[in-house]
Amino acid sequence: MLSTCKSELTKPRDLDDVPGWFNPLDQALFAFFLEETADRPGDLLEMGCYLAKATIVMGRHQRDGETFTVCDLFGDEAQGRYSRKSTLDYYEKTLSLRAFENNYLAFHEKLPEIVQARTNVLADRIAKDSCRFIHVDASHLYEDVCVDIDTTRNILRRDGVVSLDDYRNDRTPGVGAAVWEGVFTKGMRPVCVTPNKMYATWGDPRPFQKRLREWAKNVSGCVVAEDIIDGEVMQRLAGEGLTFVPKPRGSAFKRVARDVLPPVVTRALRRARRPK
Ligand SMILES: C[S@@+](CC[C@H](N)C(=O)[O-])C[C@H]1O[C@@H](n2cnc3c(N)ncnc32)[C@H](O)[C@@H]1O
């Protein structure tokens, strides 16, 4: 396994080289929602990043002038305690801030704003209605996820989207309880679910759903079905065998360079391309 805290740090060349829990269908949906919410500037936030797998994908969609904040304890309790000793035991073996930074910088020139703390500090640090996309993937305990959803409700703008990891998993019933509580008592409206994540908004989910139906037609292997829950449509997306290839944005050179080349090579190539 590459770039964990116990192994010697090596630069991952590909997203598949980065350890984590982030499958191609959700990678593709992150790209979809991060582009859909980019009609006007807004900030990005990830709660729980581990070794930067989803962080790297989110960073591809950060626009000029937008702040991207990530919050994690990074396997170290100096700035806050994990809710369970077993969680610390797991992450202190596999994770470090250095390994996170090493992985992220293999794909991006600049780190996001890093908050090494428990996610409950975010409520006082991030401005109300400032975010357009938030990934909630930190503690998976009921009480902690309730706090993360309350924070999200305050800092996500109305037409922003939140992605909630492990809303259904036999090992994380507390996440499911907190997420459905969010839906039925806190005004959170599901747009769609995948096997691993729910995507929701405090605004109107229907425009996203309309565009998702169109989008899915062009994604080979992606299947969309619909359910009605308490009178509201919720889409179910499946994508077995789907492979996600990020679409170039801006000049093909810039995009390909950012996705596949280490920053040092990108900088050298850019210098060589500069008019003399
Ligand atoms: C499931 S992993 C995140 C996976 C990552 N988003 C990915 O896509 O690969 C959970 C992360 O949350 C962090 N974490 C757990 N409890 C936390 C808490 N209360 N506050 C901040 N971070 C926490 C852990 O250190 C770990 O990195």
Side-chain angles (χ1 to χ4, degrees):
M1 197 180 257
L2 276 165
S3 299
T4 67
C5 64
K6 296 295 170 199
S7 59
E8 199 182 307
L9 294 184
T10 42
K11 289 270 175 225
R13 294 191 58 79
D14 201 270
L15 196 62
D16 290 343
D17 296 336
V18 180
W21 301 268
F22 193 41
N23 65 40
L25 175 61
D26 288 304
Q27 291 169 28
L29 279 169
F30 268 47
F32 171 83
F33 284 113
L34 279 156
E35 289 304 309
E36 284 292 318
T37 54
D39 55 329
R40 61 193 168 93
D43 295 334
L44 315 180
L45 170 67
E46 182 171 52
M47 303 188 199
C49 3
Y50 192 51
L51 287 161
K53 194 162 190 136
T55 327
I56 289 163
V57 172
M58 288 178 70
R60 286 183 183 138
H61 301 272
Q62 180 185 4
R63 304 273 169 102
D64 290 345
E66 293 181 335
T67 302
F68 179 17
T69 306
V70 300
C71 177
D72 200 296
L73 288 163
F74 294 107
D76 179 352
E77 290 199 319
Q79 308 296 330
R81 310 289 294 262
Y82 282 96
S83 297
R84 278 187 182 156
K85 170 84 172 60
S86 55
T87 315
L88 169 68
D89 292 345
Y90 179 78
Y91 287 118
E92 76 179 347
K93 283 195 202 87
T94 58
L95 175 62
S96 71
L97 178 57
R98 234 180 102 236
F100 167 86
E101 291 176 343
N102 173 70
N103 288 345
Y104 192 84
L105 290 173
F107 297 85
H108 298 287
E109 287 183 14
K110 190 174 153 279
L111 286 169
E113 300 292 319
I114 296 175
V115 178
Q116 185 166 14
R118 283 181 63 84
T119 53
N120 58 9
V121 306
L122 293 169
D124 292 331
R125 294 200 189 187
I126 310 249
K128 188 170 165 51
D129 297 331
S130 60
C131 294
R132 63 179 175 91
F133 187 86
I134 298 178
H135 183 203
V136 175
D137 192 8
S139 165
H140 283 37
L141 299 187
Y142 169 74
E143 288 79 6
D144 294 333
V145 182
C146 285
V147 172
D148 292 346
I149 289 174
D150 290 342
T151 303
T152 297
R153 183 187 193 180
N154 192 42
I155 64 180
L156 186 70
R157 71 187 192 203
R158 206 174 152 71
D159 60 353
V161 170
V162 58
S163 170
L164 301 135
D165 187 66
D166 276 339
Y167 75 99
R168 51 147 238 166
N169 180 332
D170 59 349
R171 285 175 303 145
T172 59
V175 181
V179 165
W180 287 110
E181 186 176 289
V183 172
F184 288 113
T185 70
K186 298 176 183 173
M188 195 168 78
R189 300 175 75 185
V191 176
C192 65
V193 289
T194 64
N196 298 102
K197 295 185 192 286
M198 176 187 283
Y199 297 81
T201 179
W202 269 267
D204 186 351
R206 290 167 300 184
F208 289 116
Q209 291 169 336
K210 187 166 175 241
R211 286 193 290 275
L212 257 179
R213 267 178 229 119
E214 290 306 309
W215 171 87
K217 286 182 194 158
N218 299 316
V219 181
S220 156
C222 184
V223 182
V224 184
E226 296 192 348
D227 274 49
I228 309 284
I229 297 183
D230 199 26
E232 298 235 329
V233 171
M234 192 186 73
Q235 292 178 326
R236 281 186 285 117
L237 276 85
E240 231 158 89
L242 180 149
T243 41
F244 173 60
V245 182
K247 271 213 189 103
R249 184 160 57 84
S251 90
F253 164 76
K254 242 161 89 188
R255 186 67 188 163
V256 170
R258 199 168 53 182
D259 283 344
V260 301
L261 299 177
V264 63
V265 180
T266 313
R267 278 196 295 275
L269 282 173
R270 205 176 279 144
R271 270 198 302 277
R273 283 163 51 94
R274 244 179 241 149
K276 301 260 156 41

